[in-house]
Amino acid sequence: QKEVEQDPGPLSVPEGAIVSLNCTYSNSAFQYFMWYRQYSRKGPELLMYTYSSGNKEDGRFTAQVDKSSKYISLFIRDSQPSDSATYLCAMSGRRGSQGNLIFGKGTKLSVKP
Amino acid sequence: KAGVTQTPRYLIKTRGQQVTLSCSPISGHRSVSWYQQTPGQGLQFLFEYFSETQRNKGNFPGRFSGRQFSNSRSEMNVSTLELGDSALYLCASSGDGQGAPWEQFFGPGTRLTVL
């Protein structure tokens, strides 16, 4: 079983839809959770981050962490064509950037006008 | 403040050749990490440099190497290229590499194609 599982999609939705993106993980030590957005031919950009459990909201985006189920979600409300990108979840058990970050393979999202 | 820059953006090489990729971190950042991104394996950690020293290394063969200069700029080198090395190579920088994992910022990547 891989440490982080993410459905690769592709996921296609009409403009204005609510999008739900998810990842599951197996390592109970993970406590830092992130979502990155990656446009074609670009590097990943940080979208949302949470520490430990709970919800976090930023504009149209909401990140949720359920540590009991080892499940994290990203919700996009009122989706726009500009949201079309690949969304990567990432998680880590400790601080630092010395190779502790484990990424999902990404879900490709397409929002149709 | 300028972001992480990587050069070149695209490279085409043939099997057996070697290649050097360059990364300039955000001004003031001293930690540079390298990642390989492929459709099959996703994003995988290669190595991290801090103060010109390799601080951690991922599970890649010795053909993959890197270095960091006194100005924090970093290069990675892949020798004896194989077809499977075709990937997007990403560089990420952070202040000292000890902060929260979300405190590293990615560059646009170098797309390497091995023929």
Side-chain angles (χ1 to χ4, degrees), chain A residues 38 41 43 96-98 101 105, chain B residues 9 37 40 48 55-56 97 99:
Chain A
Q38 186 173 21
R41 302 179 189 279
S97 55
Q98 297 84 40
L101 208 52
K105 290 189 180 178
Chain B
R9 293 293 312 278
Q37 186 177 29
E48 188 238 1
R55 191 154 63 173
N56 206 353

Side-chain angles (χ1 to χ4, degrees), chain A residues 2 32-34 36 38 41-44 46 49-51 88 92 94-101 103-105, chain B residues 9-10 31 33 35 37 39-43 45 48 55-56 88 90 94 97-102 104 106-108:
Chain A
K2 289 195 176 293
Y32 297 90
F33 302 94
M34 288 135 282
Y36 288 86
Q38 186 173 21
R41 302 179 189 279
K42 296 285 178 70
L46 182 67
Y49 61 87
T50 53
Y51 177 74
L88 301 157
S92 175
R94 51 194 174 107
R95 294 174 67 82
S97 55
Q98 297 84 40
N100 310 320
L101 208 52
F103 287 85
K105 290 189 180 178
Chain B
R9 293 293 312 278
Y10 302 92
S31 167
S33 295
Y35 295 83
Q37 186 177 29
Q41 299 299 321
L43 255 160
F45 173 76
E48 188 238 1
R55 191 154 63 173
N56 206 353
L88 181 67
L90 293 159
S94 64
Q98 304 286 0
W102 48 73
Q104 66 174 343
F106 285 88

